[in-house]
Amino acid sequence: AESKGAECASKDRYSHVSGVIAGALKNKETACEVVLVSLPNATLPIGLGELSRLKVLKISSNLSEISPDLWNLSTLERLSFLNNKFTLSYSGIERLRGLRELTLNRVSLLEFPSVITQLENLRILDLNGNTFSELPGKIGELTNLEWLNISSNDNLRALPPEIGNLNRLEFLLADFYNIAALPKEIGNLS
């Protein structure tokens, strides 16, 4: 279910290692994958929102905020935030209409960001290792979702009945030992 980066030539993939991100920003027309690790000043590089062909963005760093121009990356298909100890606002993410894969692993989510349910093309949602206590019923609006990881959310005690609306869901990863009872609608999943 993971989208392939075959159309992204290796010369158009960039990682933040000693300022290599500057190369991606110089090649705005071709950069299609950027990996950012341990960013200085806990902020995204200026100009990141100008990468017009960017399909994959992976951020493993403690960000204090998300720059609003990140939500202008209309070609983005895969977005990953990993290991962030700051609570961030994901308001604006709904503008990423082409997003197919969203990873928010160990990013201090105290509650499920409801704006995620507006991402109608989302196929993969990975929310591993957060602290939210409930999954909203609006999760059932993600009808194209094929893969959902809600494991290691130790405060999660129940799944909403609307989980049964995810008729394309093939994989559900969860720690069921914390969940007292499963909704009968989970039987709607194939």
Side-chain angles (χ1 to χ4, degrees), residues 128-147:
N128 176 46
N130 289 291
T131 57
F132 55 86
S133 59
E134 72 177 309
L135 209 53
K138 290 183 74 140
I139 191 80
E141 295 176 14
L142 293 172
T143 55
N144 288 313
L145 205 59
E146 299 169 357
W147 197 88

Side-chain angles (χ1 to χ4, degrees), residues 104 109-114 116-117 125-128 130-142 145 147-151 153 155-164 166 169 171-176 179 182-183 186 189:
L104 301 174
L109 284 179
L110 301 174
E111 60 184 53
F112 181 90
S114 62
I116 290 173
T117 61
L125 180 56
D126 190 345
L127 301 169
N128 176 46
N130 289 291
T131 57
F132 55 86
S133 59
E134 72 177 309
L135 209 53
K138 290 183 74 140
I139 191 80
E141 295 176 14
L142 293 172
L145 205 59
W147 197 88
L148 175 62
N149 183 358
I150 52 173
S151 62
N153 282 285
N155 296 331
L156 187 61
R157 301 286 183 246
L159 297 178
E162 292 84 356
I163 198 110
L166 303 177
L169 195 66
F171 298 98
L172 173 62
L173 292 97
D175 297 325
F176 291 109
I179 297 173
L182 295 175
I186 205 161
L189 303 177

